[in-house]
Every structure is written in C-alpha cells, then in structure tokens.
C-alpha cells in the first residue's frame, strides 16, 4: 500500500507579494529586526531609525485597515512608512506614517469603534491614486517610491 502524500502547503498570494516587498526593503535598510515576533510584516532598521509595515490588498478591491494604535506607535520612529501593496509587489504606495496619521486626524476620520482601525480604500482613476477617505491627497508620488526609506528626511 502506498503512502498518502499531502500536497505541500502553498503560500497565499498576499504572503508571496508581501515577502517580495519585505525582501526588497531588507536590501535597502540592511540589518533589520522584527520588533514584535508575531508581526512578520513589520520590520525596523537595527539602529531604530526606520520602521516599515507592509500591507496587501487585491487589485480588484484595494481596501486596507490600519490600526490607530499602530499609527501612533509607528509615528514614534524618525522615519516610519506603510507600504500599501496594490495587488502585486511591483505596485505599491510607500506612505510616510506621520503624514498619513496627520491627514487622518485633520480630516475628521475616526477609527472603528469595534476594532480601533481606520478603513482605507485606494481609488485609482486616470493615473491618480487617492484614499477615498482622504479626498484631495494625490498619492501618485508615493507609487513605488522607496527612496525616502534611505534618506534623512522625517515623515
């Protein structure tokens, strides 16, 4: 009797795409650490100057939830970024955490009562990228722009 072999577990598209982005960010930052072991999508530079969180959504439904507590914590880093993967590792918005946090607070957006997170939807129209919840903020300059991760600028 032959042994029944289970198929090898496959990694989801989300995991694969985020892993590609994280690999690239690691190459840019050099030595990194995971400040919280159960959050593999969040890395920081060893010197503590840069924090990067990677989140994914499918191209046909560009929806993200970002916790207010997370935004507050990530804003404490001199350079903090959220990489919003737009369905594929080669299409992502690299947004400074402090800028996002300030815009959310200034717009009057409030986190959900149940989970404490902001619900963000990316809209792509005519080459322009916007969060539906933050009208008037053109995100096109953040598209695949990883350069600020290397700089000395604050977010």
């Amino acid at each position: 009797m032959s042994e029944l072999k289970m198929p090898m577990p496959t990694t989801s598209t989300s995991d694969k795409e985020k892993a590609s982005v994280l690999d690239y960010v690691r190459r840019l930052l050099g030595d990194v650490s995971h400040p919280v072991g159960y959050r593999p999508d969040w890395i920081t530079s060893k010197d503590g100057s840069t924090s990067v969180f990677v989140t994914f959504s499918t191209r046909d439904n560009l929806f993200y939830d970002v916790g207010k507590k997370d935004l507050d914590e990530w804003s404490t880093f001199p350079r903090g970024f959220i990489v919003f993967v737009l369905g594929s590792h080669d299409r992502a918005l690299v947004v400074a955490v402090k800028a996002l946090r300030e815009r959310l607070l200034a717009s009057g957006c409030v986190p959900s009562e149940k989970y404490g997170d902001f619900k963000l939807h990316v809209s792509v129209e005519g080459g322009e990228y916007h969060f539906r919840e933050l009208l008037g903020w053109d995100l096109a300059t953040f598209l695949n722009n990883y350069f600020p991760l290397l700089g000395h600028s604050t977010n």
Side-chain angles (χ1 to χ4, degrees):
M1 181 181 217
S2 68
E3 184 179 310
L4 178 63
K5 294 196 179 201
M6 297 300 291
M8 291 296 291
T10 58
T11 306
S12 73
T13 299
S14 170
D15 291 342
K16 287 179 185 176
E17 297 301 328
K18 288 189 292 186
S20 292
V21 169
L22 285 164
D23 286 345
Y24 182 65
V25 170
R26 282 185 190 97
R27 288 195 307 270
L28 293 175
L29 296 180
D31 287 334
V32 297
S33 64
H34 291 276
V36 180
Y38 65 88
R39 296 193 74 177
D41 301 338
W42 179 24
I43 59 174
T44 60
S45 59
K46 283 283 189 183
D47 66 5
S49 66
T50 306
S51 167
V52 180
F53 180 76
V54 178
T55 184
F56 174 89
S57 189
T58 60
R59 243 178 240 209
D60 59 339
N61 183 26
L62 297 173
F63 167 77
Y64 305 87
D65 54 6
V66 179
K68 183 180 181 322
K69 282 183 176 180
D70 291 333
L71 283 176
D72 293 344
E73 184 172 1
W74 299 333
S75 292
T76 65
F77 287 84
R79 287 190 311 275
F81 300 90
I82 300 174
V83 179
F84 295 92
V85 180
L86 307 171
S88 173
H89 67 276
D90 60 357
R91 230 173 85 134
L93 299 170
V94 183
V95 179
V97 170
K98 288 180 184 175
L100 176 61
R101 185 174 175 266
E102 288 169 7
R103 292 228 182 217
L104 285 166
L105 296 175
S107 72
C109 286
V110 293
S112 73
E113 284 187 39
K114 186 172 183 176
Y115 299 107
D117 58 358
F118 294 98
K119 309 297 185 189
L120 300 173
H121 300 81
V122 174
S123 176
V124 182
E125 297 169 8
E128 294 183 3
Y129 296 78
H130 300 277
F131 287 119
R132 280 191 251 155
E133 296 76 11
L134 299 171
L135 298 176
W137 192 22
D138 183 6
L139 301 172
T141 59
F142 301 114
L143 184 64
N144 297 328
N145 186 1
Y146 291 88
F147 185 72
L149 272 65
L150 303 172
H152 300 286
S153 64
T154 59
N155 47 10

